[in-house]
Amino acid sequence: MSIDKEQFLKQFSQQALDERISLFLGAGSSCDVGYPNWADLFRPLAQELGTPIDDSTDYYKLAQYYANSFGSAELRKRINERINRNKYESPLLEDLIDIGFSNIWTTNFDNAVELNFQKKEVLTNKVFRDADFSNIDINKRINIFKMNGDVTDFNDIVATQSDYEQYTDSHRIMLMFFKRELISSTFLFIGYSFTDHLVLECLSEIARYLGDSCNYHYTIMKNDTQNPYFKHFVDDLEHRYHIRVLLVDDHKDIPVILKDLNKRIRRKRVFISGAFSSSDTRIEEFSHSLSRNLTATLLENDYRIINGIGRRFGTHLVGYANEFLAKQGVRDIEKYLIIKPFVGNQKGSAKDKKKSREKVIKQCGAAIFVFGDDDNNALNAQSGVLEEFEIACKHHKVVIPVAYPGMISEKIWKNVKDNITQYPYLEKSIDLLKYEQPAEAISKLIVHILDSV
């Protein structure tokens, strides 16, 4: 049976925070950029053959019949004409990219995915032949695995029944990597109907070996109330292939759900801003105490910490977070502590640092501000803490300042208090967010605020 929206958001967002997610895109995912789905792509070809298209059509066979009648070169030419003439900007793909998938798998020929990543200045690596696997970089780039080939090389696309029958031999390494990822990662299938056998055969093989120990994957599909077999099809996807299905009434509901998923993931990512140059003993002591308590309290409550390693305070945060995670026996520390240094003092670096700060803060749900002093030796004397506050406000993040006398965080704290109606979640707690309070109490209060929001 299908799962409900809340179950999906809760289960998949946790997988995303643990960085164990991959994306599988079918033809339906490219429709909002004007690319045709399989039915639209092959309908003109079916008309030339004098054959109908319906939900039971096997498109590999249809393409084979067309190639038999008009030649393989003509088939690829006709597909190329439809695929290579459209725009690429896609709100759906933008939402999917923001979720943070480690790898993308697709049966699409088009280049919409690559171009949307490029627009966001994210490096990608395209893999569509077995020979390409010698060049992949698992950790440094987003890999886009194009299982049926790519628009740049229509001679090697998988379109006909003959192509499909030879797939096991022609794409042996592709299938090996795909099966490995189906075992080690949690997939979200978008725009994929599961009507061909490529994915289901891989899942079936894994299930035969692993049985009930297989991990579950997820898909979002439009409910087909007119099809008497659809409910049984959904049940079969879960029971035999370990795919949990979230049903929607309209395809327009899918982007809304993805935005909710993004919000759910961001809410658990907390950016901590702070730096100081003073060697005052009281500041040092408060920095150590707050860093130790705040990192432990956030991590205990399953929040992820993002930090730019501001002077002194950033070092304290990173050190105590590492210490806490090590004591908990956590080996993959980078999943819980994400370090994004904003460095450079040469000409033009201020602009680059602001751009980096904006990119990082946009991926978080909240930002905490502590300390902060102006660096009069820098080319841009404005405090990085103040700039990060301005960015957080611009993108409507949850803002939590901890006032320390004479520092930027006190200015931010006063600004927030003077405009408290803009920060309703702080109305009852703003006066307790001051360095005079015990660090442990401040840390618990911050988590309470985050949970309530």
Side-chain angles (χ1 to χ4, degrees), residues 399-403 409-421 423-437 442 445 449:
V399 169
I400 304 176
V402 179
S409 66
E410 185 179 49
K411 294 179 182 179
I412 294 173
W413 184 89
K414 289 178 178 177
N415 181 312
V416 169
K417 185 171 182 178
D418 290 343
N419 299 278
I420 197 65
T421 54
Y423 311 91
Y425 49 88
L426 294 179
E427 286 182 345
K428 296 180 180 179
S429 54
I430 187 66
D431 289 322
L432 299 175
L433 293 168
K434 301 170 73 175
Y435 98 102
E436 292 94 338
Q437 300 295 324
I442 294 173
L445 177 59
I449 294 167

Side-chain angles (χ1 to χ4, degrees), residues 25-27 29-30 32-36 79-80 82-90 93 97 104 106-119 122 124 126 128 144-146 149-154 157:
L25 293 171
S29 64
S30 292
D32 70 332
V33 295
Y35 292 112
I79 294 174
N80 189 21
R82 299 296 308 279
I83 295 293
N84 255 339
R85 65 179 186 176
N86 300 98
K87 63 178 184 176
Y88 71 89
E89 292 186 354
S90 164
L93 289 177
I97 288 171
I104 315 293
T106 181
T107 50
N108 299 344
F109 310 131
D110 61 67
N111 57 8
V113 180
E114 302 96 290
L115 292 173
N116 275 275
F117 270 110
Q118 187 178 50
K119 179 184 174 184
V122 177
T124 61
K126 184 160 58 176
F128 58 93
I144 301 172
F145 299 95
K146 310 192 80 169
D150 182 70
V151 69
T152 60
D153 187 0
F154 267 93
I157 66 170

Side-chain angles (χ1 to χ4, degrees), residues 205-263:
E205 181 181 345
I206 292 168
R208 289 197 301 272
Y209 285 103
L210 300 183
D212 291 338
S213 62
C214 289
N215 59 315
Y216 276 88
H217 307 288
Y218 297 82
T219 186
I220 307 176
M221 303 177 70
K222 183 179 181 296
N223 194 5
D224 187 356
T225 56
Q226 303 302 312
N227 184 348
Y229 296 99
F230 188 72
K231 178 180 179 298
H232 301 289
F233 168 68
V234 169
D235 289 344
D236 193 48
L237 284 178
E238 176 162 3
H239 289 127
R240 289 208 298 144
Y241 302 106
H242 283 222
I243 298 173
R244 290 180 172 141
V245 182
L246 171 60
L247 295 176
V248 296
D249 295 325
D250 194 289
H251 286 118
K252 293 179 180 178
D253 296 332
I254 296 178
V256 177
I257 292 170
L258 293 177
K259 288 184 186 299
D260 287 345
L261 178 60
N262 262 315
K263 290 178 182 176

Side-chain angles (χ1 to χ4, degrees), residues 30 45 55 65 67 72 121 142 147 150 157 244 265 274 290 369 379 411:
S30 292
L45 309 186
D55 292 341
Y65 299 155
S72 179
E121 299 182 351
I142 301 295
M147 301 184 75
D150 182 70
I157 66 170
R244 290 180 172 141
I265 295 167
L290 184 63
F369 300 93
L379 293 174
K411 294 179 182 179

Side-chain angles (χ1 to χ4, degrees), residues 18-30:
D18 290 341
E19 298 183 353
R20 293 196 300 261
I21 56 171
S22 296
L23 175 65
F24 193 104
L25 293 171
S29 64
S30 292

Side-chain angles (χ1 to χ4, degrees), residues 169-238:
D169 294 324
S170 62
H171 294 74
R172 188 177 298 275
I173 298 177
M174 179 79 76
L175 283 175
M176 181 178 69
F177 265 72
F178 182 52
K179 291 172 187 175
R180 185 195 72 168
E181 197 150 334
L182 284 170
I183 294 171
S184 62
S185 186
T186 299
F187 273 77
L188 175 62
F189 292 85
I190 295 291
Y192 188 66
S193 62
F194 297 97
T195 52
D196 65 54
H197 300 289
L198 183 60
V199 172
L200 294 183
E201 285 179 359
C202 291
L203 288 168
S204 178
E205 181 181 345
I206 292 168
R208 289 197 301 272
Y209 285 103
L210 300 183
D212 291 338
S213 62
C214 289
N215 59 315
Y216 276 88
H217 307 288
Y218 297 82
T219 186
I220 307 176
M221 303 177 70
K222 183 179 181 296
N223 194 5
D224 187 356
T225 56
Q226 303 302 312
N227 184 348
Y229 296 99
F230 188 72
K231 178 180 179 298
H232 301 289
F233 168 68
V234 169
D235 289 344
D236 193 48
L237 284 178
E238 176 162 3

